[in-house]
């Protein structure tokens, strides 16, 4: 298990030719001056950034991009709620890296906050399961692009479709996996919660929940307890940054844990 992942260090290893990053919000000068510069400097020549449309409009007002449409494709994604996936995908002819986590494309998300990220690496001759995860994510994002068919110019759709051409191993990647599954909401699909429920078999003894935000009525935590018949729930709260709803201590079967000292292995 990797305790810490550095995107910059990964880019420097080389072997990648395309990148796809999705985010809810972004500090575009950080992307352009730090992330994009490293990508281009290390041979990554096709770069795509997908971002929630409302947040994108706000960024244009406060920190307008300098290189969008020239050095990379910036794609605003419309949603009835919010376009919220945080994905980093690096693609090469013989390798790939996929990171799915909580990080927005901001200075805080990539440097100051404690973010949790799932990392999947692929090299040619690795298992089909790993390659299949990349295939599932690309297919998932294509569903979002199809929903934007009448909202975005044709060349933006082509920039996303072109990602397939940088990794020949994607052509043979399975769509249905036996050991790993990537789930995400799409414009016409079930909610994330319903999809997660369908993956869980048997009774759940314990659940661990952490986050920067909790709804005031604790409806999500109550749904976890009820829908999954969870006997014991641990809720991680950092009191320095998260304001826990007063109701939290009143829900039976919940134990609140102070996570202010939680950090990754090897941290100072």
């Amino acid at each position: 298990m990797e305790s810490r992942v550095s995107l910059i260090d990964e880019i420097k290893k080389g072997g990648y030719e395309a990148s796809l990053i999705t985010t809810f919000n972004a500090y575009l000068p950080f992307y352009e001056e730090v992330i994009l510069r490293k990508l281009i400097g290390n041979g990554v020549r096709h770069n795509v950034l997908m971002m929630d449309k409302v947040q994108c409009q706000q960024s244009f007002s406060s920190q307008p991009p300098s290189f969008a449409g020239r050095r990379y494709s910036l794609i605003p994604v419309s949603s009835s709620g919010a376009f919220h996936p945080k994905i980093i995908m690096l693609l090469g002819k013989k390798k790939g890296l996929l990171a799915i986590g909580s990080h927005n494309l901001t200075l805080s998300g990539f440097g100051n906050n404690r973010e949790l990220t799932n990392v999947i690496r692929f090299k040619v001759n690795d298992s089909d399961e790993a390659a299949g995860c990349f295939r599932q994510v690309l297919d998932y994002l294509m569903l979002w692009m199809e929903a934007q068919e009448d909202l975005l110019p044709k060349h933006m759709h082509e920039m996303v479709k072109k990602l397939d051409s940088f990794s020949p191993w994607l052509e043979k990647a399975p769509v249905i996996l036996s050991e790993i599954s990537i789930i995400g909401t799409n414009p016409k699909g079930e909610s994330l919660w319903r999809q997660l429920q369908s993956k869980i078999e048997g009774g759940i003894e314990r659940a661990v929940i952490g986050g920067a935000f909790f709804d005031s009525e604790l409806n999500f935590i109550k749904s976890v307890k009820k829908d999954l018949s969870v006997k014991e729930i641990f809720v991680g709260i950092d009191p320095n940054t998260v304001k826990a709803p007063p109701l939290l201590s009143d829900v039976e079967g919940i134990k609140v844990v102070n996570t202010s000292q939680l950090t990754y292995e090897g941290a100072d």
Side-chain angles (χ1 to χ4, degrees):
M1 182 178 70
E2 298 177 68
S3 59
R4 187 178 185 184
V5 178
S6 168
L7 177 61
I8 301 300
D9 289 346
E10 190 63 40
I11 294 170
K12 288 180 179 179
K13 292 178 183 179
Y16 301 111
E17 297 182 25
S19 77
L20 170 63
I21 297 178
T22 71
T23 186
F24 172 61
N25 60 29
Y27 181 55
L28 293 177
F30 167 68
Y31 172 72
E32 294 187 340
E33 298 299 330
V34 179
I35 304 300
L36 182 65
R37 180 174 292 185
K38 292 293 183 183
L39 287 166
I40 294 175
N42 287 274
V44 184
R45 51 196 172 89
H46 185 83
N47 299 287
V48 177
L49 173 59
M50 298 176 66
M51 181 179 176
D52 180 81
K53 180 180 179 179
V54 175
Q55 294 296 315
C56 191
Q57 291 172 336
Q58 293 178 4
S59 294
F60 269 65
S61 299
S62 55
Q63 302 103 18
S66 299
F67 307 120
R70 292 187 291 147
R71 298 184 184 178
Y72 70 101
S73 298
L74 176 57
I75 301 177
V77 181
S78 298
S79 170
S80 58
F83 180 71
H84 215 259
K86 286 91 173 187
I87 298 169
I88 299 170
M89 184 183 292
L90 302 178
L91 296 171
K93 285 185 173 61
K94 297 182 178 181
K95 62 188 291 192
L97 178 135
L98 176 63
I100 304 174
S102 58
H103 43 73
N104 278 304
L105 190 54
T106 61
L107 289 167
S108 295
F110 274 68
N112 299 327
N113 293 346
R114 284 172 288 172
E115 308 283 355
L116 185 65
T117 300
N118 298 282
V119 176
I120 299 171
R121 299 174 186 275
F122 174 83
K123 290 184 179 179
V124 171
N125 298 325
D126 280 355
S127 72
D128 289 342
E129 291 281 308
C133 291
F134 288 78
R135 180 75 270 157
Q136 281 193 345
V137 169
L138 280 175
D139 289 348
Y140 161 68
L141 293 174
M142 285 307 303
L143 289 174
W144 277 102
M145 291 303 297
E146 289 172 8
Q148 317 297 310
E149 184 175 3
D150 299 325
L151 304 174
L152 296 173
K154 183 177 179 180
H155 74 271
M156 288 190 175
H157 293 268
E158 294 301 322
M159 291 299 100
V160 178
K161 291 179 181 178
K162 192 176 179 181
L163 287 161
D164 269 333
S165 65
F166 291 93
S167 299
W169 44 270
L170 279 170
E171 295 180 9
K172 300 178 181 179
V175 177
I176 300 176
L177 308 179
S178 60
E179 298 180 4
I180 307 172
S181 183
I182 308 296
I183 62 174
T185 52
N186 65 67
K188 298 179 181 179
E190 290 185 317
S191 69
L192 199 61
W193 178 239
R194 293 305 176 194
Q195 292 181 64
L196 179 60
Q197 281 183 273
S198 70
K199 302 291 181 181
I200 298 175
E201 297 180 359
I204 305 298
E205 293 288 331
R206 177 182 296 172
V208 179
I209 299 174
F213 306 98
F214 293 87
D215 59 284
S216 59
E217 299 299 321
L218 300 178
N219 290 321
F220 176 71
I221 292 178
K222 292 175 182 177
S223 293
V224 172
K225 183 175 175 60
K226 178 183 177 183
D227 296 350
L228 301 182
S229 300
V230 179
K231 296 180 180 179
E232 187 177 44
I233 297 179
F234 285 86
V235 178
I237 296 287
D238 182 350
N240 298 315
T241 58
V242 177
K243 185 177 181 181
L247 292 175
L248 194 58
S249 59
D250 297 333
V251 181
E252 184 180 355
I254 288 182
K255 295 183 179 180
V256 180
V257 179
N258 186 328
T259 61
S260 60
Q261 300 302 313
L262 183 65
T263 185
Y264 56 83
E265 182 182 346
D268 293 334

